Amino acid sequence: MTESRTKTWTRREMLRLGGGGTVLLTMSLAGCSASGGTAEDPPDDDAPVDPDRPLESPMLTEQVEAGELPPLEERLPIEADRLVVDGPDSLGVFGGTYNGAVLGQGDDPWLERMIGYEPMLRVDPQLEEIIPGIFKDIEVSDDGTEFTIHMRQGMRWSDGEPFTADDVMFAFENVYHNEEIHPTFPGTFAVDGDRATAERIDDHTVELTFPGPKGDFLDLASRAAQWWAHNLAFYPKHYLEQFLPENNPDLDAEAEAAGFGSWVDYWEDRIQWWNNPDKPVLFPWVITDTLNTGTRVVAERNPYYWKVDSGGAQLPYIDRLEFETVHEEEVMLLKGVNGELDFHSRHFNTDANKPVLAEGREEGDYDFVTVQTTSMNRMIISLNLNHKDDDLREIFQNRDFRIGLSHAIDRQDIIDTVYQRQGEPWQAAPHRESEFFDEEFAKQYTEYDVDLANQHLDAAGLTAKDGDGYRLRPDGNRLRFSLDVTTLFPEWANAADMVRRYWAEVGVDMQVNPIERTLFYERKDVAANEHDANVWAGDGGLKVEMLETRWWFPSGGEANYAMAWASYFDTRGEGEHAQEPPDYALRQMELAWQIPREPEPEVQKDLFREILQISKEQFYVIGIASAADGYAIAKNNLRNVVPSFPDSWLYLTPGPVDIPTWFFEN
């Protein structure tokens, strides 16, 4: 084995890289393990590695002996460039089939979380450090403008083709610069709207040069790495170039023959690996039976996967993953209780279901894993401040209206009834354990007071009522709107119906609109702008407060309360549907643009606190209850599962817990 030379960096240190100092983020053979072990340090130092232990799955050995696969040494990167990852328990054994479930044919996010967390860099299981990923190391210039990417020699896509600088350049030049695929150039590769340039140095080296310091680039590189994120290691040139018109003059006809309205639609279909087994990937498992067909998703081990354990054995340990497609949360819950799921942390893992799952633990042969919340709220109501209807837009933008609706909600009743008495009344404000915690911010307007609610609604100008006691809009029609709630999380519909009744008591006619997730996203898309209001969770309250900014000010594609303002932030005002926001939101955006350029962490935090102060004053959205830790279930014979991990969609958790190191005991 070669010498360990791993260097890790905290997220805060990454943000600080806008200033001076040369940083070399080394990602060689000895990537950190969840237990702190390196290539020289297996999880159990007292247990010598069996010299006869196989270094690849027997199923792959059979294929090698049959002449169907190259030998292991030819499938892995050169020894110095193999990423070593160990689980927290022990070195594993090969074999077995993982049994899981997905909730319908739209549940690709669970497959992305279980299979697809392979970003350019990655984070440790506790989301505290940036550690080795697909790229071996990234060298940063003194002024923070040049990032030299060093790739792993001998690394291959899942079809055996080399992964080289040509793939990185293809992603940067042919994909991200393609205005039909990306009408807005990704901010990951720009500073203040000005684009970086990329230069191919050699087969395994690419240099990115930014027009100014890019202090958040390494952090961005460690986040989710999917079709909707920005990842220079997601686009195999040898396969995908045929789906770009500059390389294929017959592409339009091929797209039409395949049932797509344009080549862009065809492209988007081809990169969705969970429905396209032909797309080469760098993941531990490769889809063979897709999500959009049949009743089961199947993924087989990737024979060219580029990670090994500290004993030199190729990961993953588990040969095959199977996810049964179920269409009701109750069916998935029953499978969990019956011990039919090896691991799960989504959909049915609610407070209401925990007693049922606790009762079934012994017979189902599973136990709980703590899922630490990074969220600050269980349920946030977003009124569409950019509504197409002039009257509704004016009403929703009235702060007194939002305050009145907030005081009209009996949050403790919802907590007791829906959330099993877990949590406390809370707004969209940082978690109590956050360094940015502000009790006044968290608790403002959470008092249940019908009289006070009515006072604020009257102050908003909504004093006229119809014969049924409902308030009237300025045009004389009843104030009526719908609240979109995705059916993925049943507790939201229950809580939303309680909110409907509270608001009716103060003369506001709201109807709950339960819809499937895909339609939910279609309605709130900035181009469609069809939603009146909707519900989502309050991500970003702990550990990722400065990274997950959607609830603090309009930013990103999840700022449900002001998608057009968020588009202004994301596109620097150049987006087709972008709308210039009010001065207070513009000030927040200016602060957010400034943060990555500041070299001192405390200065960055001060700027962020100003963003939070404006958010507190403007009261964009209505929170319900503080979030409590969640839980996952894991079968007792599934090893190397960490006892707890923080939950964050930015990092596709549980992806960072090193799932390829999981194995079945006995």
Side-chain angles (χ1 to χ4, degrees), residues 35-48:
S35 62
T38 69
E40 304 292 328
D41 303 303
D44 184 355
D45 294 335
D46 297 328

Side-chain angles (χ1 to χ4, degrees), residues 143-164:
D143 63 359
T145 63
E146 294 180 357
F147 295 77
T148 304
I149 298 170
H150 298 282
M151 303 174 68
R152 302 178 186 278
Q153 296 186 44
M155 188 170 172
R156 297 178 181 273
W157 295 98
S158 56
D159 61 356
E161 290 294 316
F163 171 58
T164 71

Side-chain angles (χ1 to χ4, degrees), residues 513-655:
N513 182 33
I515 53 177
E516 191 269 332
R517 180 178 179 144
T518 300
L519 180 58
F520 178 93
Y521 271 86
E522 289 175 354
R523 283 172 55 81
K524 80 180 185 71
D525 182 79
V526 65
N529 192 21
E530 293 177 349
H531 70 297
D532 297 334
N534 63 24
V535 164
W536 203 254
D539 303 271
L542 182 66
K543 289 182 179 282
V544 293
E545 305 95 320
M546 294 179 66
L547 309 177
E548 171 58 274
T549 60
R550 64 175 118 167
W551 299 118
W552 315 135
F553 71 96
S555 55
E558 301 290 338
N560 298 343
Y561 55 96
M563 296 291 285
W565 294 349
S567 178
Y568 184 94
F569 173 76
D570 296 340
T571 68
R572 300 293 177 121
E574 298 298 321
E576 179 182 358
H577 303 286
Q579 295 178 16
E580 184 173 351
D583 289 344
Y584 52 81
L586 276 175
R587 173 58 182 165
Q588 291 178 299
M589 294 176 185
E590 292 166 356
L591 292 165
W593 288 325
Q594 183 180 348
I595 286 174
R597 300 195 298 266
E598 290 292 339
E600 294 300 323
E602 290 307 315
V603 175
Q604 294 174 1
K605 292 178 183 178
D606 287 342
L607 296 174
F608 180 64
R609 287 188 177 94
E610 185 176 345
I611 290 176
L612 290 178
Q613 180 61 34
I614 296 172
S615 180
K616 174 182 176 180
E617 293 167 357
Q618 295 306 318
F619 188 56
Y620 290 119
V621 294
I622 300 170
I624 300 298
S626 61
D629 284 346
Y631 63 93
I633 60 170
K635 291 298 288 291
N636 291 325
N637 69 333
L638 185 64
R639 298 295 305 278
N640 277 341
V641 179
V642 295
S644 67
F645 61 88
D647 183 36
S648 172
W649 80 276
L650 282 177
Y651 297 101
L652 291 181
T653 51

Side-chain angles (χ1 to χ4, degrees), residues 103 326-335 346-350 353 487-491:
L103 191 61
V326 300
H327 297 281
E328 295 180 0
E329 178 263 342
E330 292 81 4
V331 175
M332 188 178 283
L333 172 62
L334 183 61
K335 292 178 70 66
R346 189 172 166 86
H347 305 307
F348 64 78
N349 302 69
T350 64
N353 289 336
T487 53
L488 273 179
F489 305 101
E491 67 272 16

Side-chain angles (χ1 to χ4, degrees), residues 381 405-411 414 448 499 502-503 622 624:
I381 298 172
L405 292 184
S406 184
H407 278 302
I409 299 171
D410 188 344
R411 290 170 171 79
I414 293 176
Y448 175 50
V499 172
Y502 302 138
W503 286 356
I622 300 170
I624 300 298

